[in-house]
Amino acid sequence: MFVIVLLSFVFILVCNYYVHYGRTGRLINLIPGPLCYPIIGSLYVLFGSRETLWKRMITLSNRYYPIYKIWGFFVPVISIRHPDDLETILSNPKYIKKTFMYNIFKPWLGTSLVISEGAKWHSQRKILTSTFHFNILQRFVEILDKESKNMIKSLKNADGTVVKNLSPFISEHTLNAICETAMGTSLKDFGEFQQQYLKAIRQISELFVYRVKRQWLYFNWIFSLTPKGREQAKVLKILHGFTDRIIAERKLYHEQTNGQYLKSFDNDTSAEEDDPKMIGTQRKRLAMLDLLIAASREGLMTDLEIRQEVDTIMFAGHDTTASSLCFILALLAEHKDIQDRVRNEVDIAMQDNEDKLTMKFLNQLLYLERCIKEALRLHSVIFFISRICEEDVKLQSYLVPAGTNLVIDINGVHKDPNFWPNPEVFDPDRFLPERIRNRHPYSYIPFSAGPRNCIGQRYAMLQMKMMVTSLIHHFYLEPVDYIKDVRLQVDLILHPHPLRVRFVPILQN
């Protein structure tokens, strides 16, 4: 036994020497970073609470600006934040492969668009791009308007001023909206399952955060044997079961209607007509899911791949948007002058469009759009993404060897005073056309950038505009909690805990 332990120790030391003193290790170690111990490297920086970890990430980013490295055992990770370096990586189609950090999503999202690579990613991207086409987004305006009205109704049912913790309140409505636009089905149709599904989404997010902090210790199959792994299996059964049920019902609907609505998906007129020959079949609103089903009929996707893409759209399309909306509303509550200006713009557009919330109406809200963009800069809920270098790449000051894991520090570049004077100040006019013109295009990347940018960014902007418009038109927003006092924690995305706003009804004529 002693001999085995001794040989194991010697083997680890040899590996440590080979990794750190080979070509890759020598190049990596030229890059600054926190103290690195033998074997364990800099893993100690991941210790502590999620709040502590958030502060430490900011500290490291500023201390070693604009690039630093950490070692986790024998795996190096390099963090970059200068726009020139970000452009080098994100604009190059050779660097679209995601790192091992995304493996934690595979039990839930499989090899969907957010994880896949190579030919499969290109194929998925081509199919899914059509689901966010402008003509299809126009059809979703009605759904988003309806959910916004539900949100207003829930506040007005309180009869007077009401204080809301934004995160759970907004999440419920963004999840309802993405469910109906992505799957053509409202969660409200499932009664108690709505809350069960919301709870499952929250649980899986918490479990993934747990996994992130222990990424170095667990492979997926090892994690599945732990109590947390068994809990994850139960939650995934709920989430996958719901998605499978919706897909099965949707496919049956198209079988009963001979797939005629799939064929007319791009024909606005015929797609909205009812077929008098349909007996006992209710006309359903076409959704993103229908495009995926159409692709599966052409042999381009399997049933499993459809589920994985729908699960991805459901998660990415509600949680990130909800968290961004929390910060947007809180910032408007804290800046009354800006809020009043937004309300004035909304009211004028309402009059011009006879109170109809259409795509044309939303496109008129240029100042609100600037407010949203500035909020996304100030509080980037997706605060980092990562890539693998498929080949040696020369950044500004260092050569990064092939196979290295790169972290794109979105929060860092959005707060860089070299590109954003007074970066902590909320100033929507940063996004006036004349001020954008000479700014580095990769100094602002809330939806990533390059060939692997966020496919749903237009949908997200549409939904955020719609919900803010409705709330601002019906309520004055007053801060209860101030963002500067809110504890921010490392999560899959950045969530404020808690962040409350007071909604004061506006007397409508």
Side-chain angles (χ1 to χ4, degrees):
M1 183 64 182
F2 174 77
V3 173
I4 294 175
V5 172
L6 181 61
L7 289 175
S8 299
F9 182 69
V10 171
F11 176 75
I12 291 173
L13 287 177
V14 170
C15 288
N16 184 75
Y17 181 86
Y18 173 78
V19 167
H20 282 274
Y21 294 94
R23 177 181 180 272
T24 295
R26 292 198 307 272
L27 288 173
I28 296 292
N29 286 326
L30 292 174
I31 299 170
L35 182 64
C36 178
Y37 292 101
I39 301 174
I40 67 167
S42 315
L43 272 183
Y44 60 89
V45 302
L46 300 179
F47 297 161
S49 68
R50 287 185 291 161
E51 184 180 359
T52 300
L53 191 53
W54 172 249
K55 294 177 180 177
R56 187 175 295 139
M57 288 175 60
I58 295 172
T59 299
L60 290 173
S61 179
N62 291 333
R63 178 181 298 166
Y64 298 108
Y65 177 86
I67 182 172
Y68 70 92
K69 60 93 170 41
I70 64 170
W71 285 89
F73 292 114
F74 305 134
V75 179
V77 176
I78 295 176
S79 176
I80 57 175
R81 62 178 270 190
H82 194 282
D84 287 344
D85 290 341
L86 303 191
E87 183 173 15
T88 298
I89 300 301
L90 294 178
S91 65
N92 193 328
K94 294 180 181 180
Y95 307 134
I96 64 171
K97 186 176 180 180
K98 300 292 185 75
T99 68
F100 68 96
M101 298 179 190
Y102 290 82
N103 289 339
I104 60 170
F105 292 100
K106 286 187 176 180
W108 182 17
L109 308 180
T111 53
S112 61
L113 185 69
V114 75
I115 299 171
S116 61
E117 57 193 62
K120 181 172 184 177
W121 175 79
H122 284 285
S123 174
Q124 290 170 312
R125 179 85 183 195
K126 185 177 180 180
I127 294 169
L128 289 168
T129 295
S130 61
T131 68
F132 293 98
H133 189 275
F134 177 79
N135 291 338
I136 294 174
L137 289 178
Q138 281 189 305
R139 299 174 189 169
F140 294 158
V141 170
E142 183 182 343
I143 297 172
L144 298 176
D145 182 27
K146 183 182 74 173
E147 193 55 46
S148 296
K149 285 182 170 67
N150 290 337
M151 181 170 57
I152 299 303
K153 184 178 178 180
S154 70
L155 289 171
K156 288 193 172 180
N157 283 342
D159 193 23
T161 299
V162 60
V163 173
K164 284 286 187 180
N165 182 11
L166 291 176
S167 188
F169 170 62
I170 298 296
S171 290
E172 179 178 338
H173 295 285
T174 56
L175 184 58
N176 284 341
I178 193 65
C179 188
E180 196 160 346
T181 51
M183 296 198 284
T185 303
S186 173
L187 274 178
K188 290 184 172 67
D189 297 339
F190 292 84
E192 293 182 359
F193 191 82
Q194 180 188 28
Q195 294 303 318
Q196 186 182 9
Y197 190 84
L198 278 167
K199 182 180 178 182
I201 287 284
R202 287 193 293 268
Q203 284 179 304
I204 203 70
S205 295
E206 291 171 1
L207 285 166
F208 283 165
V209 172
Y210 176 86
R211 285 293 312 279
V212 166
K213 293 189 69 175
R214 292 155 181 80
Q215 179 76 253
W216 310 90
L217 303 179
Y218 291 130
F219 294 105
N220 280 326
W221 68 271
I222 295 177
F223 180 71
S224 68
L225 302 176
T226 67
K228 289 285 188 181
R230 291 191 289 272
E231 180 185 346
Q232 174 179 282
K234 291 179 181 177
V235 176
L236 288 177
K237 186 176 181 180
I238 294 172
L239 296 172
H240 288 160
F242 175 70
T243 311
D244 286 337
R245 175 180 170 184
I246 297 299
I247 292 171
E249 290 180 359
R250 202 74 180 178
K251 293 184 78 171
L252 177 61
Y253 165 72
H254 288 302
E255 289 172 8
Q256 292 173 338
T257 56
N258 297 318
Q260 62 177 309
Y261 294 111
L262 292 178
K263 296 174 185 175
S264 63
F265 198 96
D266 291 325
N267 188 322
D268 289 333
T269 303
S270 62
E272 296 301 327
E273 293 176 352
D274 288 327
D275 186 349
K277 297 179 181 179
M278 289 170 57
I279 301 175
T281 304
Q282 183 182 0
R283 176 75 176 92
K284 291 191 176 184
R285 186 190 303 275
L286 292 170
M288 296 176 185
L289 172 57
D290 297 299
L291 276 172
L292 303 183
I293 292 174
S296 74
R297 287 188 163 206
E298 297 175 10
L300 300 175
M301 297 186 77
T302 66
D303 286 353
L304 176 60
E305 287 172 333
I306 291 176
R307 189 193 75 191
Q308 291 172 350
E309 298 302 345
V310 170
D311 282 337
T312 300
I313 291 170
M314 289 288 290
F315 169 63
H318 104 272
D319 202 22
T320 52
T321 306
S323 192
S324 295
L325 276 166
C326 292
F327 285 112
I328 294 164
L329 294 172
L331 284 166
L332 291 176
E334 292 182 21
H335 298 82
K336 186 178 181 302
D337 55 333
I338 295 175
Q339 180 188 155
D340 289 341
R341 186 173 169 184
V342 170
R343 184 175 294 105
N344 184 58
E345 179 183 62
V346 167
D347 291 345
I348 291 172
M350 284 276 198
Q351 292 173 7
D352 291 344
N353 292 273
E354 299 177 342
D355 289 349
K356 294 177 182 177
L357 273 65
T358 62
M359 184 71 84
K360 176 187 173 184
F361 162 78
L362 294 173
N363 288 337
Q364 290 180 240
L365 306 178
L366 299 180
Y367 186 67
L368 172 58
E369 184 170 311
R370 296 205 297 273
C371 290
I372 292 173
K373 288 180 177 180
E374 172 67 347
L376 296 180
R377 179 198 69 82
L378 203 52
H379 301 288
S380 311
V381 297
I382 301 293
F383 49 90
F384 81 91
I385 52 178
S386 63
R387 297 284 189 272
I388 292 178
C389 292
E390 296 282 26
E391 61 185 18
D392 289 0
V393 57
K394 181 68 171 68
L395 298 181
Q396 275 190 309
S397 306
Y398 300 96
L399 178 66
V400 176
T404 302
N405 296 285
L406 285 173
V407 166
I408 311 298
D409 184 0
I410 296 176
N411 179 71
V413 72
H414 285 181
K415 302 286 183 65
D416 192 333
N418 295 306
F419 302 93
W420 304 97
N422 300 314
E424 298 296 337
V425 174
F426 181 54
D427 178 12
D429 286 341
R430 294 180 197 272
F431 290 91
L432 284 166
E434 59 270 23
R435 295 179 66 178
I436 293 174
R437 193 170 298 118
N438 297 320
R439 187 176 294 141
H440 197 300
Y442 283 76
S443 63
Y444 183 69
I445 53 170
F447 297 103
S448 185
R452 198 149 192 170
N453 66 347
C454 175
I455 196 171
Q457 57 184 289
R458 288 196 298 177
Y459 174 89
M461 288 297 291
L462 190 68
Q463 184 173 21
M464 288 187 287
K465 270 189 173 183
M466 182 69 79
M467 291 193 165
V468 174
T469 293
S470 297
L471 288 168
I472 286 291
H473 185 60
H474 290 91
F475 297 92
Y476 297 110
L477 310 183
E478 297 177 353
V480 176
D481 301 309
Y482 286 81
I483 295 176
K484 64 180 179 61
D485 300 322
V486 171
R487 294 165 49 211
L488 299 178
Q489 302 175 341
V490 167
D491 206 328
L492 288 179
I493 66 173
L494 194 62
H495 288 114
H497 298 283
L499 188 54
R500 295 169 297 174
V501 163
R502 181 179 294 106
F503 295 89
V504 181
I506 296 174
L507 297 178
Q508 304 289 332
N509 293 328

